[in-house]
Structure formats: structure tokens, C-alpha cells
Amino acid sequence: MSLTVVIRLPSSAFELGQALSVRTGERIELETMVPLGAAAIPFFWLYHSGENAFVSAANDHPSVRDIATVDTFDDRTLFALDWDPEADDLFDTIVDCRGRVLDATGAHDEWRLELRFPSHDELSAFRSACQDEQYPLTVERVSRADGSTAKTKFGLTAIQRETLLVAVEAGYYDIPRRCTTVELAEMLDISDQAVTERLRRAIVSLVSNTLVTARENT
């Protein structure tokens, strides 16, 4: 089952964020990514007030081959970016972990990326790689394609399993802890008390259906 993760990181922390540098108050939104050979050409909107400065800065970045205007409206311009994604370690990591960029929004100081990975293993590999590279990213939300409440492996409901996965991916069980129950509640759009209760029930179900069962069978 695929998972979707939403992350935030500083614009200066990865190549594309540096290449598509915007001023305070300006915003970039990904429209689509079109495969072209081994690369992918991003089409994106710039909600602008300083288009010329933006294009000049982008062209000066070493990873940018070309940036072309596709369409222009009063408040925004659509661009196509020909760039070298291999120069961006973050995008290299996403590709290596079989991830896809579903959405991207950039501002002066921060980008928000929505990514999809085929399974928990690929998402975990991505998270580990980002920790190794020390990317200063924040996990905003992790969700699964299946929102049903049916029982899953180890006696967990889908909701309990998702809550545990979100807690693990966000660093709730890390030492030192990188996420609080309040932050988990914001990711899951529930109260922090509900998070605590879900985690408690999930751990009871997990232990009851693994360790306790294994002990009884020995």
C-alpha cells in the first residue's frame, strides 16, 4: 500500500529551492512534471511581482539549463524549467527510494513537498537517507492510500496502523523525541488525547498479537 508524506524544508536546503529563489510575498506552485528522456521538466506557476529578477537569478544557477515562459496572466506566469535533477541530492534521494513528487509549493524561506512512496519500506529508506544527509526537514503528515478501518496484520486497525506509522516516521519514538503528541495530533487532525489513546490501543494490540501469542505457542 502506497504512502503519501508531506514535508517542509528551508528553500536553501536543496538545489531546486536555491535555483527557484523568490522574494518575500512571492510563491511558486508546481503545475506538473513532464518526463523528457531521463529527466523531468517541471512546469510551475510563479505568483509574482518581480519576474525579471526571478528569471535572471534562475538562469545564473548552475543546475538550470534554461527557463522558458509558457503563459502569462496579470497575477502569475507559467514557466517550464530545464534543469539537471542529478545536481539535486534531495531529488536524487526521492528517485532512489522510488518516490514521486505529487505537489510542491515554494516561498521565500520554505518549500512544502507532497511525495508518494510505494510502501513503508521505501518511505523509511527515504527518511533514513534524509537523516544521513542531515536535511532540516519537518514531516507535516503521513497518510495511506487505504482509509478503511478493517483489521490489518497483527490485529491493528488501519487507523491504529497509520497512527503508529506517522508516530514512527515523525520521530515520536526517537531518542531524543523529535515530535510531541500535540504535533502528531496536528498531522492527523485529531486531539492530542485521541493520539495518546490510539497509540496505547495500537501497542496493546501489537503486543497481544505478536509477543503474547508467540509466548503462548512456545
Side-chain angles (χ1 to χ4, degrees):
M1 189 70 66
S2 65
L3 295 97
T4 300
V5 59
V6 177
I7 63 173
R8 293 182 179 273
L9 74 165
S11 303
S12 59
F14 66 114
E15 288 291 323
L16 187 63
Q18 296 172 17
L20 302 183
S21 176
V22 296
R23 301 185 302 185
T24 302
E26 296 178 338
R27 185 175 83 255
I28 291 173
E29 290 184 1
L30 179 69
E31 172 73 11
T32 187
M33 294 186 75
V34 178
L36 186 64
I41 302 296
F43 284 76
F44 60 91
W45 291 101
L46 170 67
Y47 292 81
H48 58 84
S49 58
E51 179 182 335
N52 292 336
F54 168 79
V55 171
S56 177
N59 277 321
D60 285 342
H61 196 275
S63 69
V64 175
R65 301 187 185 102
D66 187 37
I67 181 168
T69 301
V70 178
D71 211 344
T72 301
F73 297 89
D74 289 340
D75 63 336
R76 66 195 188 280
T77 300
L78 181 64
F79 289 99
L81 178 70
D82 183 4
W83 70 306
D84 180 12
E86 293 184 359
D88 195 314
D89 292 338
L90 177 64
F91 275 78
D92 251 1
T93 301
I94 295 171
V95 172
D96 288 345
C97 297
R98 300 174 61 202
R100 291 182 57 195
V101 180
L102 301 180
D103 190 32
T105 304
H108 171 66
D109 56 350
E110 184 182 68
W111 276 67
R112 179 183 183 274
L113 304 177
E114 183 175 355
L115 312 172
R116 175 173 289 162
F117 294 91
S119 73
H120 179 256
D121 289 342
E122 283 86 0
L123 177 55
S124 293
F126 172 73
R127 177 169 174 258
S128 296
C130 288
Q131 288 178 334
D132 292 342
E133 295 295 331
Q134 298 184 330
Y135 285 117
L137 61 82
T138 300
V139 177
E140 180 179 297
R141 186 180 72 251
V142 179
S143 57
R144 299 185 63 80
D146 182 6
S148 68
T149 58
K151 290 288 183 178
T152 61
K153 195 174 182 180
F154 305 127
L156 298 171
T157 65
I159 289 177
Q160 289 171 348
R161 190 168 187 269
E162 178 187 358
T163 304
L164 272 177
L165 288 172
V166 171
V168 170
E169 295 298 337
Y172 180 73
Y173 291 108
D174 288 1
I175 299 174
R177 182 168 288 174
R178 297 189 296 108
C179 180
T180 67
T181 53
V182 173
E183 291 170 326
L184 285 177
E186 292 176 352
M187 295 178 197
L188 296 165
D189 197 24
I190 58 177
S191 68
D192 57 331
Q193 181 179 354
V195 168
T196 302
E197 292 175 355
R198 277 192 195 179
L199 290 175
R200 178 179 58 80
R201 290 171 183 159
I203 291 172
V204 169
S205 295
L206 188 60
V207 172
S208 298
N209 286 277
T210 53
L211 300 181
V212 172
T213 300
R215 185 180 62 185
E216 291 174 349
N217 291 333
T218 57

